[in-house]
Amino acid sequence: MAGLLSLHCVASLKKSGSLIHFRSAALGVHMRHYSSKKAPFSSSSEYLHQSVVPSMHYQKSLPRLPIPKLEDTIRRYLAAQKPLLDDDQFRTTEKLAQDFQNGAGKQLHEELVAQDKNNKHTSYISAPWFDMYLSARDSVVLNFNPFMSFNPDPKTEYNDQLLRATNMVCSAVRFMKTLRAGLLEPEVFHLNPVKSDTDSFKNFIRWVPSSLSWYGAYMVNAYPLDMSQYFRLFNSTRIPKHGRDELFTDEKGRHLLVMRKGNMYVFDIIDRDGNLVKPAEIQSHLKYILSDSTPAPAFPLSVLTSENRDVWAGLRDKLIGAGNAEDLRVVDSALFCLSLDDESMRDHIHISHNMLHGNGCNRWYDKSFSLIVTKDGQAAINFEHSWGDGVAVLRFQNEVFKDTTEKPLVHPGSAAAAVDSASAVRRLQFKLNKELENGIQKAKENIDSAVSKLTIDAMEFKRGGKEQLKKNRLSPDAIAQLAFQMGFLRQYGQTVATYESCSTAAFKHGRTETIRPATVQTKKCSHAFVQQPGKHSVAELQAMLDECSKYHGQLTKEAAMGQGFDRHLFAMRYLAASKGQALPSLYTDPAYAAINHNILSTSTLTSPAVSLGGFAPVVPDGFGVGYGVHDNWIGCNVSSYPARNVHEFLQCVHKSLEDIFTVLDGKPLS
């Protein structure tokens, strides 16, 4: 479950009785055509735009995340188990699931529904999901934090490290100020933009009370999304505690945390009046940090944020005991972390490794997000996952990319301000004793060992993409997922548990649901393509592709509407455990453990701002599959540990896509 971008589908929405789903791409600039009024000249440097509809206008009236009917959950669970089990195993699992539905599950479901009725301000999954993340004791590095890298600035001269970092910091502050002033355009999916994404509609809906505003949008086929996670983007940090971490936010912080060579610096990027510090001054301060000759610390404190959470909690207590409480608070309350790396990137694989984990010395992994800018101006966001999902981070990334490329505040040749950066910038110096130095040393050895086992490889399939698949009336996402099933079957001869992340942000405090792409249909189709290519006619193979696409589309719509089975079963299990009850036998069934051991963990992302995203596998014998289906090509960025061969897997996926497109061209498989 961890490490996923959660951006596949934000919602499936009702239109004329049919369900229409939209994908992560819709979250980017495809979704909004800003017609909000421009900020007046005097405040144009303070805000990205000034929406006439307040940012949180729809929040009160968002629909609540539904709890599925128990019989639907069990039916969906068994359908997902079918391709993973032999006949005897399936009969056992089927009996346990039916006993659960008629016995312990019925009672747990009723209690969950009653609890949900008493907590109408939130969703049934919100608290258990926070708890799942915050109680996890594994390192956040590789296990939870994903990354998304920015496309380069189209104007190449702006890809200079100092320029790009300055512009991104300024745009990030503008985003934060726009959000906090309630002027950030609400996140809305427009099914009919001609009616809903207009000045006249916005001027009307702003006067509709918040408690009714969602219904007003719904009447014109516009669907607002949950924005409750946004406030944690800034001034927020995950604090390690024994047993369960805490989320800390202090909106009074006006400073930026900057890391370079493992040294930590802070300076204000917001002045006492709440305005953005002059961009030329920010540029001057960053230039000062980039030219600082202080050597890298022998014991870089930040590497502790890569440790096991209980170990880190114990060492943090010792840091506080050694007199570092105030400086730690400065780190925790910073707007965000800017990591300036002294390395240039060789290629996509180098970017992925650097942005996903780096060497642990120049990152504070616990910050809600870190903006990383390398020596050659490559940029990415690495984010801590417990506070929220990719929806808020992607919106932020899209806005920052748009703002820095269209309205940069510093330019090649623009001079840094003549200010005294030496007194404005403070380098944090922590007091360490032998025990803390040993802890840092051990943490460094642990992260070095962990990342040395990770392999990342990427693939681009250039023969076709979204356009051709849509012409064939096939879901692009379904075909990408089918290629992963075929690829794994070709490489390892089996069908395994597969996880695809899907956002439920169309509901109040929705988080994610799981799409289960390994189906009876994909198994049959994969076997036909991989193991019996000569046995079936082109028409039969095309019919199988169609079947896979239709069923995947149905699963996607169900998940986006909160009608998957994973979160419902998870919430009931959490409820039983929280009451100290023995777990019902459905949860102790080896088949339940197996379907939650997600060997193929997948997440899709396409956006004009993002060049690639990625995460580590969620199990030691798995693959972490980040992918995007573009108009005329399909890209994958995949990670694995030594138990799997990622290079071979990508060759098998490529061959599978070749075969699929050959069949779509009406040609037989050789």
Side-chain angles (χ1 to χ4, degrees), residues 28 45 151 215 272 304 330 401 436 441 468 482 491:
S45 63
N151 274 315
Y215 302 94
R272 290 180 189 285
L304 292 179
V330 166
F401 184 75
L436 286 164
Q441 191 62 45
Q468 193 178 337
L482 177 62
Q491 187 179 8

Side-chain angles (χ1 to χ4, degrees), residues 4-6 129 133 229 383 385 387-393 510-512:
L4 298 171
L5 298 186
S6 320
W129 210 240
Y133 272 121
Q229 296 172 4
F383 67 97
H385 218 322
W387 64 271
D389 306 302
V391 178
V393 181
R511 292 287 310 234
T512 59

Side-chain angles (χ1 to χ4, degrees), residues 92-161:
T92 303
T93 293
E94 189 175 35
K95 178 162 187 344
L96 290 172
Q98 281 161 355
D99 290 349
F100 179 78
Q101 184 181 324
N102 299 323
K106 194 175 181 196
Q107 191 184 341
L108 286 168
H109 173 77
E110 283 167 7
E111 286 178 39
L112 188 67
V113 169
Q115 198 179 70
D116 187 52
K117 277 190 178 141
N118 291 331
N119 290 280
K120 291 191 170 160
H121 62 286
T122 187
S123 69
Y124 78 93
I125 201 62
S126 185
W129 210 240
F130 271 115
D131 206 36
M132 184 257 317
Y133 272 121
L134 294 171
S135 301
R137 300 292 81 196
D138 293 329
S139 164
V140 295
V141 184
L142 301 186
N143 298 301
F144 295 96
N145 288 27
F147 83 91
M148 296 191 284
S149 70
F150 284 90
N151 274 315
D153 193 306
K155 301 186 290 294
T156 52
E157 66 274 22
Y158 281 85
N159 291 310
D160 165 82
Q161 184 179 28

Side-chain angles (χ1 to χ4, degrees), residues 407-465:
K407 291 181 281 190
L409 295 179
V410 295
H411 312 276
S414 59
V419 289
D420 182 10
S421 290
S423 58
V425 176
R426 175 160 78 95
R427 182 165 62 84
L428 300 179
Q429 298 189 56
F430 293 88
K431 304 175 191 77
L432 304 178
N433 54 33
K434 197 71 195 145
E435 192 177 8
L436 286 164
E437 287 176 353
N438 289 341
I440 291 169
Q441 191 62 45
K442 186 84 182 95
K444 185 75 183 91
E445 288 163 15
N446 289 344
I447 190 172
D448 288 348
S449 166
V451 303
S452 71
K453 297 184 179 81
L454 187 78
T455 305
I456 298 177
D457 199 6
M459 175 211 85
E460 289 185 359
F461 175 79
K462 294 289 184 64
R463 190 168 148 190

Side-chain angles (χ1 to χ4, degrees), residues 586-618:
L586 175 132
Y587 295 113
T588 55
D589 178 12
Y592 181 80
I595 202 171
N596 286 295
H597 184 87
N598 291 299
I599 289 170
L600 285 169
S601 181
T602 72
S603 192
T604 183
L605 180 63
T606 48
S607 151
V610 177
S611 86
L612 74 166
F615 48 93
V618 296

Side-chain angles (χ1 to χ4, degrees), residues 83 478-491 493-496 498 517-534 536 540-541 544-545 547-548 600 652 656 659-660 669:
I479 296 305
Q481 287 288 345
L482 177 62
F484 305 145
Q485 294 299 315
M486 280 187 198
F488 196 90
L489 182 71
R490 191 181 298 279
Q491 187 179 8
Q494 62 182 136
T495 296
V496 291
T498 307
T519 64
V520 169
Q521 290 84 345
T522 61
K523 190 176 187 177
K524 177 185 159 193
C525 187
S526 298
H527 278 267
F529 270 77
V530 174
Q531 294 175 343
Q532 320 151 330
H536 304 273
E540 284 171 336
L541 292 172
M544 285 186 214
L545 292 175
E547 220 174 279
C548 289
L600 285 169
C652 292
S656 303
D659 288 354
I660 290 167
L669 297 177

Side-chain angles (χ1 to χ4, degrees), residues 637-657:
N637 196 36
V638 184
S639 61
S640 76
Y641 294 116
R644 299 285 178 194
N645 184 329
V646 68
H647 312 299
E648 196 178 274
F649 175 68
L650 283 171
Q651 286 166 3
C652 292
V653 170
H654 198 280
K655 168 77 172 115
S656 303
L657 287 167

